[in-house]
């Protein structure tokens, strides 16, 4: 006798021990069954022992059903075959790819929106009174339309939103199609969504950078606090600078943080040398505007700096690293200790060019812009030029700015 189908009372079904313990979102399944019917009957043996469909039974109970459609199979009396049937029911299925889920959601959405409007109109008509009491059968009708749409295609609401964002972006810009293909192939939606956000940050930075006047063609002479409007908001990939360490100069740090927050692109970095004594003030000032990321140790190449007031021979100085939002490429590993040697030929407070070059190479993309609002003798600009990066420098002292210009021209 071949397999056959019948309707079984729920009370007659023998469930027994099951491998699946996590029932998942039964309410959403119940809602689906209520809306479109039971598309797949449960499977039982002739002895009414359940083979597959435990979640469907749970959903039927939520809906208040007394019985459920069942397929009776004759070839599963052996224990091994029963185990395989339960396994196959839960593993040998192909879920929607993310793109397929988006397409399905778009097809369902107008229907669900219409249903939601009908529910809202019914609620307004009832005036909040005399409504049918919510019981097991009516419970699945609750919930927002976007939750119902996501449940209907078998994914979470947040995941579906990310899938839709990636697919929509690729439709608008065919260059982003590889993100969808990779997402479909791997199922890794979060990674594709992060890549999309990174792409958008980079596009915003490139657009802002286009309005920056003549980067690399000269040095702005004056106070960065007064010249900030010369630099387009969101145009910079990296600010690499070494402000003065005295207490009076440290009062400029809040303005530096504000400048960086305005001029950096999302994901851009500020690296700022600071003296040991100004470290607490620098942290307080800069993290008001940016996200603290790391502290880099710049080891002194020459003699230790004698800090007699504190009884310390200082052999390193901190370089504080802040980012706007989050680092745009945290997969590129960097070292947090550096020492480029002692270079003081052009300026008494000159830092090593190799230190600037290392961080420009790591944190500024090839089409990015580097800025130093305390340019000094031009070390940052020289390193940027040699790495073929665009740059902009600001220096308050005219004589020092001319020296920087000469160094850059000769680099």
């Amino acid at each position: 006798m071949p397999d056959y189908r019948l309707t079984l009372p729920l009370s007659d079904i023998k469930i027994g021990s099951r491998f699946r313990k996590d029932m998942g979102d039964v309410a959403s399944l119940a809602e689906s069954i209520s809306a479109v019917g039971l598309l797949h009957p449960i499977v039982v043996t002739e002895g009414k022992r359940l083979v597959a469909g435990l979640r469907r039974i749970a959903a039927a109970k939520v809906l208040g059903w007394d019985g459920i459609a069942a397929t009776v199979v004759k070839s599963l009396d052996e224990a091994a075959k029963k185990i395989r049937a339960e396994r196959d029911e839960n593993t040998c299925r192909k879920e929607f790819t993310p793109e397929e889920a988006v397409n399905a959601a778009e097809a369902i959405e107008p229907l669900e929106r219409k249903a939601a409007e009908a529910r809202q109109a019914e609620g307004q008509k009832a005036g909040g009174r005399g409504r049918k009491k919510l019981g097991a059968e009516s419970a699945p009708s609750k919930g927002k339309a976007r939750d119902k749409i996501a449940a209907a295609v078998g994914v979470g609401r947040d995941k579906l939103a990310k899938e839709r964002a990636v697919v929509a972006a690729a439709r608008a810009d065919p260059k982003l199609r590889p993100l969808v293909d990779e997402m479909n192939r791997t199922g890794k939606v979060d990674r594709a969504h992060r890549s999309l956000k990174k792409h958008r940050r980079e596009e915003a930075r490139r657009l802002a950078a286009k309005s920056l006047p003549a980067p690399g063609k000269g040095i702005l002479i004056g106070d960065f606090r007064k010249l900030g409007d010369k630099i387009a908001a969101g145009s910079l990939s990296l600010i690499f600078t070494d402000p003065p360490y005295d207490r009076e100069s440290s009062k400029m740090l809040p303005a530096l943080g504000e400048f960086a927050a305005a001029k950096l692109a999302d994901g851009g970095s500020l690296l700022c040398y600071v003296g040991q004594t100004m470290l607490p003030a620098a942290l307080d000032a800069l993290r008001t505007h940016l996200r603290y990321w790391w502290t880099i140790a710049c080891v002194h190449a020459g003699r230790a700096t004698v800090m007699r007031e504190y009884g310390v021979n200082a052999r390193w100085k901190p370089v504080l690293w802040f980012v706007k939002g989050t680092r745009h490429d945290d997969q590129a590993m960097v070292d947090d200790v550096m020492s480029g040697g002692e270079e003081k030929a052009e300026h008494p407070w000159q830092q090593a060019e190799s230190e600037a070059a290392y961080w420009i190479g790591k944190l500024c993309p090839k089409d990015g812009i580097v800025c130093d609002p305390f340019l000094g003798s031009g070390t940052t600009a020289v390193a940027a030029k040699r790495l073929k990066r665009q740059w902009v420098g600001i220096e308050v002292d005219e004589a020092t700015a001319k020296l920087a210009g000469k160094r850059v021209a000769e680099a």
Side-chain angles (χ1 to χ4, degrees):
M1 180 179 178
D3 298 344
Y4 57 95
R5 185 175 296 181
L6 51 72
T7 298
L8 276 178
L10 294 178
S11 59
D12 287 357
I13 300 169
K14 302 171 185 177
I15 294 176
S17 177
R18 307 292 294 174
F19 294 102
R20 166 165 276 173
K21 304 301 181 184
D22 183 1
M23 298 292 286
D25 187 359
V26 174
S28 294
L29 177 59
E31 180 186 357
S32 173
I33 293 173
S34 176
V36 300
L38 183 68
L39 299 180
H40 302 288
I42 67 167
V43 182
V44 297
T45 65
E46 283 192 297
K48 300 179 183 179
R49 184 169 296 279
L50 182 67
V51 175
L54 182 60
R55 294 183 70 247
R56 277 164 278 173
I57 292 174
K61 291 178 179 178
V62 170
L63 293 169
W65 292 1
D66 294 323
I68 191 169
T71 296
V72 181
V73 292
K74 305 211 20 106
S75 58
L76 289 173
D77 293 331
E78 299 175 33
K81 291 183 179 180
K82 177 181 180 299
I83 292 171
R84 177 167 180 177
E86 181 182 346
R87 183 206 68 181
D88 290 353
E89 172 74 9
N90 290 290
T91 63
C92 297
R93 298 175 297 172
K94 187 178 185 300
E95 303 290 346
F96 279 148
T97 67
E99 186 175 17
E100 289 168 344
V102 169
N103 293 336
E106 289 174 343
I108 293 169
E109 185 168 17
L111 303 175
E112 182 52 49
R113 296 294 178 192
K114 187 175 180 180
E117 290 170 3
R119 289 194 298 270
Q120 184 178 21
E122 183 181 352
Q124 291 172 347
K125 184 178 179 181
R129 297 179 182 179
R131 295 183 188 178
K132 181 180 177 181
K133 184 178 179 181
L134 288 175
E137 186 172 354
S138 59
S141 66
K142 297 188 295 182
K144 296 181 179 179
R146 60 179 178 269
D147 295 311
K148 295 176 181 292
I149 293 167
V153 297
V155 299
R157 184 182 71 184
D158 292 342
K159 183 178 182 182
L160 179 60
K162 292 176 181 178
E163 292 171 347
R164 296 182 84 161
V166 175
V167 171
R171 289 172 180 170
D173 182 358
K175 294 194 300 293
L176 296 175
R177 179 66 208 185
L179 289 183
V180 177
D181 294 339
E182 178 72 6
M183 182 173 68
N184 286 337
R185 186 180 66 82
T186 65
K188 294 182 178 179
V189 176
D190 284 341
R191 185 166 69 184
H193 192 249
R194 284 196 301 270
S195 296
L196 174 61
K197 291 197 293 183
K198 179 182 177 182
H199 170 79
R200 286 174 171 168
R201 289 196 302 266
E202 288 298 296
E203 285 298 304
R205 177 186 60 76
R206 291 188 188 101
L207 182 62
K210 289 181 180 179
S211 61
L212 184 67
K217 300 300 183 182
I219 298 167
L220 302 175
I221 301 175
D223 191 319
F224 77 93
R225 292 169 291 184
K226 298 178 180 179
L227 296 174
D229 60 349
K230 302 291 184 181
I231 299 174
S235 63
L236 305 178
S237 295
L238 173 64
I239 297 174
F240 188 87
T241 193
D242 181 23
Y245 299 164
D246 60 273
R247 286 185 173 86
E248 187 62 28
S249 297
S250 68
K251 295 177 182 178
M252 292 188 290
L253 290 172
L256 175 61
E258 186 176 0
F259 172 85
K263 306 306 177 182
L264 283 172
D266 287 341
S269 294
L270 163 67
L271 266 72
C272 179
Y273 290 87
V274 296
Q276 295 280 13
T277 58
M278 67 189 296
L279 182 56
L283 285 167
D284 290 342
L286 297 176
R287 64 185 166 199
T288 300
H289 304 281
L290 298 167
R291 179 182 178 184
Y292 170 78
W293 198 255
W294 207 257
T295 298
I296 299 139
C298 180
V299 179
H300 294 169
R303 293 173 296 176
T305 300
V306 179
M307 307 293 291
R308 296 198 180 278
E309 181 180 353
Y310 299 93
V312 174
N313 291 320
R315 298 188 179 277
W316 72 285
K317 72 180 65 174
V319 179
L320 295 180
W321 183 1
F322 288 82
V323 297
K324 182 174 179 179
T326 188
R327 185 181 166 193
H328 83 278
D329 185 8
D330 57 7
Q331 300 303 306
M333 302 301 293
V334 298
D335 294 329
D336 65 356
V337 177
M338 64 181 183
S339 179
E342 190 172 17
E343 298 178 12
K344 306 294 183 185
E346 306 293 343
H347 195 276
W349 306 116
Q350 180 179 336
Q351 300 295 345
E353 181 186 328
S354 61
E355 294 169 3
Y358 177 80
W359 291 105
I360 292 170
K362 290 289 187 180
L363 301 182
C364 181
K366 291 183 178 179
D367 63 347
I369 301 172
V370 184
C371 175
D372 188 345
F374 298 91
L375 185 61
S377 61
T379 298
T380 300
V382 169
K385 180 182 178 182
R386 287 179 171 157
L387 288 170
K388 294 181 170 49
R389 302 302 199 271
Q390 297 185 81
W391 60 271
V392 59
I394 305 175
E395 174 53 43
V396 71
D397 182 73
E398 186 173 356
T400 304
K402 289 180 179 179
L403 172 62
K406 181 175 181 292
R407 283 188 68 200
V408 174
E410 294 172 351

